[in-house]
Amino acid sequence: MKNILFYILLVMAMGFWGASWAASKVLIEYASADVVAFWRFFFALLASCAIVFFLKIPLRIDKSALKFLSFAAFLNCLYSIMYFIGLNYGSAGKSGVLVTTLIPIFAYLLTFGFYKLKKDSTRVMKKNEILGLFLGILAGICLLDLGSWQQLFGKSNVFFVLCALDWAILTLVCRNLRIHPVAINLYITFLSVLLFSPIFFFQPSMLDIFTFEFRFWWMMFIVAVLSTAVGTSIYYMGVARVGATQASSFNLLVPATALLSSFIILREIPSVLTLLGGSLAVFATYLINLYQPKHFSWESKKLEE
């Protein structure tokens, strides 16, 4: 019965993650990318502190972890800036599908390359992985929606491909941390707030958000609290409860929820290429990741420790 409850909560978390794309698109209508990014981290930090306190999450940390957390926070800030700037130029639905499906593909390629750099001759690509990568490339071509070669380097495409690569690297960096994942989320969010703090000296409009209408605050609540703080915490608790492989399979819902929320909030109608590319990308992600449970075993190990 408790597992069923966690399955329901995981579906909700994926819905929060998907909805954050459309909500973020609305936020940048009100303020610049750096202003929105700072306040997103600030309010997410407040919510994360409440979650850590309520769940009594241990915050034990050693000095060796600080360098990884600092680098992860830098990548997190870089991701957020590219994320919000990219949403100025691209649709939330297509961008959400593109980034969330490219991340596991990039993570796999980086991991495989790392094995090869270590000259691990026992690590070879399996047939399902090769097929998954091939489908991932086809999906990427569809999602980039290339009418010409010039569009390959369009602003939205470049920003979101870099977002996916950035987050894949961040994921690999966090694998070196041996603290509770919910605490990792708290520490990275806190360090991200610190890194963004200097913009108060350069952005005179930082406090203008407190004059914005309810629509802005509702979207900020979705992005900062429901997605960044609550959704991530539910996901990590799900990993501990139902297992890493089963919990990870729920990530396949994010592209669909991104498209659905973009239609509901922004009235964006996905193109045939977006739907085709999204379907191929989800299947590619399934082949690459869910056939390789050990890729997610690091999360379970951290939770056990």
Side-chain angles (χ1 to χ4, degrees):
M1 186 64 182
K2 289 183 178 180
N3 279 3
I4 294 176
L5 174 62
F6 271 98
Y7 290 144
I8 296 173
L9 289 174
L10 282 167
V11 171
M12 290 174 56
M14 299 306 102
F16 296 155
W17 283 1
S20 68
W21 287 88
S24 296
K25 179 78 172 178
V26 173
L27 290 178
I28 58 170
E29 296 175 3
Y30 290 85
S32 60
D34 54 347
V35 172
V36 173
F38 171 81
W39 288 113
R40 171 202 181 188
F41 287 133
F42 179 80
F43 292 119
L45 176 62
L46 296 181
S48 296
C49 287
I51 291 170
V52 167
F53 177 78
F54 178 75
L55 298 177
K56 298 180 179 179
I57 302 296
L59 296 177
R60 176 175 53 86
I61 186 175
D62 54 63
K63 292 182 179 179
S64 62
L66 285 176
K67 60 181 180 181
F68 292 109
L69 285 170
S70 299
F71 186 43
F74 169 77
L75 291 171
N76 195 31
C77 291
L78 184 61
Y79 172 89
S80 293
I81 286 294
M82 293 189 295
Y83 168 80
F84 285 114
I85 292 177
L87 282 172
N88 272 316
Y89 305 104
S91 70
K94 188 184 81 170
S95 302
V97 175
L98 177 63
V99 174
T100 56
T101 52
L102 282 183
I103 288 172
I105 294 173
F106 279 145
Y108 169 78
L109 290 173
L110 290 170
T111 303
F112 187 81
F114 178 73
Y115 276 114
K116 288 304 179 183
L117 286 175
K118 292 180 66 176
K119 298 181 180 180
D120 186 353
S121 58
T122 62
R123 181 67 176 99
V124 295
M125 283 192 183
K126 297 181 179 179
K127 292 180 179 179
N128 61 282
E129 294 173 336
I130 295 173
L131 177 59
L133 288 173
F134 174 72
L135 291 177
I137 293 171
L138 287 180
I141 293 172
C142 292
L143 290 169
L144 291 174
D145 199 6
L146 302 178
S148 65
W149 283 107
Q150 287 77 11
Q151 288 181 324
L152 175 62
F153 301 102
K155 292 179 180 179
S156 62
N157 286 341
V158 170
F159 277 116
F160 289 122
V161 170
L162 289 176
C163 275
L165 179 59
D166 178 286
W167 198 264
I169 297 172
L170 187 152
T171 301
L172 298 181
V173 170
C174 289
R175 291 186 182 184
N176 294 286
L177 296 170
R178 293 294 178 265
I179 57 179
H180 198 287
V182 176
I184 291 176
N185 190 43
L186 173 68
Y187 283 126
I188 291 177
T189 305
F190 171 70
L191 291 173
S192 297
V193 170
L194 291 183
L195 288 174
F196 266 108
S197 294
I199 68 172
F200 269 95
F201 298 103
F202 307 102
Q203 271 286 10
S205 60
M206 284 297 294
L207 300 179
D208 287 355
I209 67 161
F210 295 102
T211 65
F212 293 159
E213 60 186 341
F214 176 77
R215 182 170 180 251
F216 171 86
W217 289 103
W218 174 232
M219 295 300 111
M220 179 62 77
F221 179 75
I222 293 174
V223 173
V225 179
L226 294 184
S227 175
T228 306
V230 177
T232 303
S233 297
I234 289 175
Y235 176 74
Y236 283 129
M237 288 188 293
V239 168
R241 180 68 192 182
V242 303
T245 302
Q246 285 188 328
S248 298
S249 66
F250 283 83
N251 284 307
L252 302 181
L253 295 175
V254 177
T257 56
L259 290 174
L260 179 61
S261 63
S262 296
F263 174 74
I264 294 173
I265 297 174
L266 303 171
R267 298 304 176 192
E268 288 183 357
I269 299 176
S271 67
V272 174
L273 277 178
T274 299
L275 294 174
L276 175 61
S279 301
L280 287 173
V282 166
F283 188 49
T285 303
Y286 173 79
L287 288 174
I288 292 173
N289 289 286
L290 298 187
Y291 272 49
Q292 301 293 325
K294 63 182 179 182
H295 287 181
F296 301 95
S297 61
W298 65 280
E299 293 174 344
S300 299
K301 290 179 181 177
K302 286 194 296 187
L303 289 170
E304 292 172 357
E305 292 174 1

